[in-house]
Amino acid sequence: MSVRRSVIIGTGSYLPQQVLTNADLAARIDTSDEWIQERTGIRRRHIAAAGEFTSDLGAEAARRALAAAGLTPNDIDLIVVATATPDQTFPAVATVIQHKLGMLHGVAFDVAAVCSGFLYALTVTDSLLQSGAHNRALVIGAETFSRLLDWEDRTTAVLFGDGAGAIVMEAQAQPGSTASDRGVLACRLHSDGRYNDLLHVDGGPGSTGTTGKLRMKGKEVFRHAVTNLSSVMGEVLEVASLTPADVAWVVPHQANLRILEATAKKLNLAPERVVVTVDSHANTSAASVPLALDVAVRDGRIQRGDLLLLEAMGGGFTWGAAAVRW
Ligand code: UT7
């Protein structure tokens, strides 16, 4: 019996040119390169230029993913963008990117789940491809998180950066075995609205009429992140009838190196199996998973047949994971 699965056939990413190092930050606020590296693993981050918007970052990542797949925008019938930093309150960034790619057909919309956004976008897209409603999709995580930061607040300003990552997903008939099929084998999402106060933006179009700034109680978020991520990673493996020993690469949301290491340890996954980009990208929210994926695909670490475990946790709280065979 064959099943319809969503296979990733191309990846791409884009980082703005301007690099902001820990030393640059230490010259502006009361922090140090040593503290940032020791507590987070971050060394530098990229910052979008004035006039460079989330849709610009996302469109460039999408062009690169299409080129990697050997396709043009004409071959795509769905665009799903995960972002918490849209160019405008509306319309969706996805429709802006649709226009920038010159597409006059198809469907484009955004999903909002902050740092888990890419896992949410991937899961929604997987359902739409499996249902037969669509055949080929661009799934994009794109953020200009630097614009949500209070640059006077050292507890958050040092943690985030800007960037975008994209994948092309195609519905393909596969034999129907999670032990060998390519594509998305299982995904699981969760949310719990009780924790708004621990990680949120203190403004919005429907409340203050302003964009607001990011506020986070980092220590508490850290604790929830390790618990929730290890739990959903275990859950998704169980749904796919797989075990941690089957995992070739963990491609995680890049919030903090200590979270990546603690989460992998809980599942008995060797740290060498975890793709780490937090050192050079910092936390790019919804862009971090597809950015890390593109890095590990292009440098040759990820090979055909490898089982990947994608995971993320963010504001809401929201969290999720996906098991994908390359
Ligand atoms: O993507 C969404 C999910 N987000 C996350 O997963 C973030 C999760 N949280 C974290 O990554 C960490 O909790 C942080 C990196 C945010 C903070 O690390 P921590 O080890 O939990 O430090 P802390 O908040 O307990 O702060 C320790 C000390 C404090 O000083 P006192 O009270 O001990 O005197 C802070 O004021 O470090 C101080 N501190 C800083 N010092 C220098 C906080 N930020 C800085 C800074 N530079 N930038």
Side-chain angles (χ1 to χ4, degrees), residues 150-174:
D150 173 355
W151 288 99
E152 304 297 312
D153 175 9
R154 69 174 183 173
T155 69
T156 53
V158 303
L159 302 175
F160 297 91
D162 301 335
I167 60 173
V168 180
M169 287 171 90
E170 179 180 71
Q172 289 183 5
Q174 292 284 315

Side-chain angles (χ1 to χ4, degrees), residues 133-219:
H134 294 274
N135 291 310
R136 280 203 207 99
L138 268 167
V139 185
I140 304 166
E143 301 277 19
T144 46
F145 239 59
S146 62
R147 294 183 180 139
L148 289 180
L149 299 179
D150 173 355
W151 288 99
E152 304 297 312
D153 175 9
R154 69 174 183 173
T155 69
T156 53
V158 303
L159 302 175
F160 297 91
D162 301 335
I167 60 173
V168 180
M169 287 171 90
E170 179 180 71
Q172 289 183 5
Q174 292 284 315
S177 160
T178 56
S180 55
D181 282 3
R182 292 192 73 202
V184 177
L185 305 174
C187 22
R188 282 293 179 274
L189 302 175
H190 293 278
S191 61
D192 186 339
R194 282 178 296 173
Y195 299 108
N196 191 321
D197 281 358
L198 299 186
L199 177 52
H200 67 280
V201 166
D202 63 3
S207 52
T208 58
T210 63
T211 305
K213 296 294 176 204
L214 183 145
R215 306 292 171 203
M216 177 165 72
K217 298 197 172 90
K219 222 178 190 42

